[in-house]
Amino acid sequence: MALQKVVRSTVIDAPIERVWAILRDFNSHDQWHEVVAQSSIEDGKTSDRVGCVRNFTLQDGNHIREMLLSLSDKDHISTYTIVDATVPLQRYVATITLKPVTDGQRTFWHWASSFATPPGMEAQLRDMVAHGVYEAGFANLKRYLQLGGPAQKASSASSVRAQSQASPVSAVTIKVREYGEALQLRTENSDVPPPGPGEVRIRQTAVGVNYLDVYLRKGWIPDFLPLPGTPGMEAAGEVLDVGPDVTSLLPGDRVAYMGPIPGAYTSVRNVPVAWTVRLGAGIDDITAAASLLKGVTADYVLRDLGRVQAGTRVLVHAAAGGVGTLVCAWASRMGALVMGTVSSQAKARIARDHGCQHVIVTANYEFSAAVHSIAQGADVIIDGLGDAAREENFEALAPCGHWISLGQASGPLQPISPDWLVSKSVTFSRPVAFAYVATHSMLNQRAERVWQAFREGILLPVQTETFALKDAPAAHARLESRQSTGSLVLLPG
Ligand SMILES: NC(=O)c1ccc[n+]([C@@H]2O[C@H](COP(=O)([O-])OP(=O)(O)OC[C@H]3O[C@@H](n4cnc5c(N)ncnc54)[C@H](OP(=O)(O)O)[C@@H]3O)[C@@H](O)[C@H]2O)c1
């Protein structure tokens, strides 16, 4: 008797751990598969133990007993066989295999089986297994995850979830009502509505402070922060609840996010799920908030824009700062010749600790002569200084060099003329991090590279200075004072 084969696969919009947590439970199918009316494991065995038998009834009244033959948590594979059944499937052996999709947030699910059938019933039974069991199962599991997965079964969890989805959550938020000095960052109370479609509501535990927040507060980019507005581009925390159609996150998940619309200086916020990355156990919330946007920036600047490799002469400004320390450490590990400017000897030590091989101490933006004496010019300049260093940056560039204008801590850069650039055959770019994480998959890949670099010791543990959220004015004053090193983080408390 020839064996029939059925193979089906799909991609589930949820991370592999979430899908596997359901499927590894051999008795879970009556919770998520609509054809299964009722199922139990025989002899009081646990439902993930090889050899256990699930005894279940289908909605059409048929009855099946299946035995778990193998289960690998490492490879996310399980195999099972029909022991006896009122449906005429003989020698039925099925395998479920899960693999993570490369963006880490989705799961490839392969479901395959072979079986024999009575003569003449081949097509009918193949069809039943392919459509009635596998394809229907894919659709059912997707819907089950959308509804909240296992949490939906637990009545207390579901009632909490239903309640929080129905009601606003109060938050403490920093508001700018007039552009200006740091004291314009005022603490207010607000209500955060339930998350909309594609959004998650996050209770934030740590908020990253970036120099961009200062520009916004000062009104240098008013289109970016219309008044009244809340600054802040990144944070970390715990998902409170999820909006309709969100399947990749659940209440309780730890996440960090960065996104192109300000508003992170708050204790609770709704953000699109596409801005978020799930945090593993190795990355705490403060590290995530301190280094997601800055790490992603270091990644795209060195890898995509600077195309830094062994021997590239890199000049990094504010080398002891948030972005600067990450850039120095990563560029140095890439084999670049790393030069950096800092404004004090104390900062010089920190820059050196983070891999800056040639530290130039200058508080008044004089560095081009030093760069020429160290390396005859820079191939790549990573410039967050802006206008006060404009002429010196140009002087410091080697012929055919690339000036990456990241920011403007000293003031907005005056226009750069093409005639000026052509005189040294150099290039100039004015990038923004958000364009380099424009899709969820790009964000996940870059974030993962940052976390991996921490795990491998390429990036040193991030040095952070923390402030209560209500002390945002003090955090901004500190950043603007040129005294801070590493990253500043606000704690909503
Ligand atoms: N475009 C992007 O995608 C992107 C993303 C992230 C950050 N950035 C930019 O990268 C730069 C670094 O950001 P960060 O958040 O990590 O800040 P940071 O480097 O930790 O702090 C800013 C540093 O700039 C230096 N600085 C020089 N002149 C200054 C002045 N007049 N006022 C204040 N600081 C001055 C200071 O270092 P010294 O005293 O040692 O000189 C200061 O510590 C900023 O320009 C930011 O806008 C851009």
Side-chain angles (χ1 to χ4, degrees), residues 210-212 215 293-294 297 300 318 321-323 342-343 347 365 384-385 406-410 431-433 479-480 482 484 486:
N210 290 284
Y211 218 96
L212 175 60
Y215 314 146
L293 195 158
K294 297 174 186 76
T297 299
Y300 84 77
V323 172
V342 294
S343 60
K347 285 188 171 189
Y365 315 104
L385 299 183
L406 262 198
Q408 48 195 39
S410 75
V432 179
L479 191 57
E480 290 173 89
R482 298 183 73 170
S484 70

Side-chain angles (χ1 to χ4, degrees), residues 151-220:
Q152 182 210 10
K153 285 268 159 183
S155 58
S156 60
S158 68
S159 67
V160 167
R161 185 164 179 265
Q163 244 177 32
S164 60
Q165 283 206 339
S167 47
V169 171
S170 57
V172 175
T173 300
I174 299 292
K175 277 262 155 59
V176 175
R177 294 193 171 271
E178 260 179 67
Y179 297 126
E181 296 310 306
L183 286 172
Q184 294 300 336
L185 299 164
R186 304 259 166 79
T187 305
E188 298 186 7
N189 294 319
S190 61
D191 280 334
V192 180
E199 288 184 337
V200 291
R201 185 158 51 177
I202 298 171
R203 184 169 300 286
Q204 306 194 146
T205 51
V207 179
V209 177
N210 290 284
Y211 218 96
L212 175 60
D213 310 343
V214 174
Y215 314 146
L216 298 188
R217 190 208 74 217
K218 286 181 168 174
W220 284 0

Side-chain angles (χ1 to χ4, degrees), residues 261-403:
I261 300 171
Y265 284 18
T266 182
S267 58
V268 179
R269 188 180 185 198
N270 285 323
V271 298
V273 73
W275 293 6
T276 65
V277 291
R278 268 157 54 90
L279 293 175
I283 302 291
D284 62 79
D285 292 7
I286 290 180
T287 299
S291 53
L292 178 60
L293 195 158
K294 297 174 186 76
V296 159
T297 299
D299 182 61
Y300 84 77
V301 161
L302 294 173
R303 193 180 291 268
D304 299 65
L305 269 181
R307 299 195 186 149
V308 169
Q309 49 190 303
T312 306
R313 297 164 294 175
V314 178
L315 172 64
V316 187
H317 293 307
V323 172
T325 46
L326 299 174
V327 166
C328 285
W330 229 338
S332 157
R333 187 57 84 92
M334 290 169 163
L337 186 154
V338 185
M339 300 169 274
T341 66
V342 294
S343 60
S344 70
Q345 291 298 344
K347 285 188 171 189
R349 278 192 293 281
I350 290 167
R352 265 186 220 104
D353 288 348
H354 286 264
C356 185
Q357 299 139 18
H358 303 275
V359 184
I360 303 163
V361 181
T362 170
N364 55 357
Y365 315 104
E366 287 174 1
F367 49 83
S368 68
V371 169
H372 279 284
S373 110
I374 296 163
Q376 291 86 51
D379 301 309
V380 175
I381 297 183
I382 297 166
D383 168 30
L385 299 183
D387 208 48
R390 187 172 180 274
E391 276 72 25
E392 281 286 292
N393 273 324
F394 187 76
E395 279 304 310
L397 274 173
C400 306
H402 185 174
W403 176 0

Side-chain angles (χ1 to χ4, degrees), residues 107-126:
T107 303
F108 178 72
W109 174 1
H110 183 81
W111 203 348
S113 60
S114 62
F115 51 87
T117 70
M121 293 189 73
E122 295 86 351
Q124 180 196 339
L125 288 171
R126 264 201 323 265

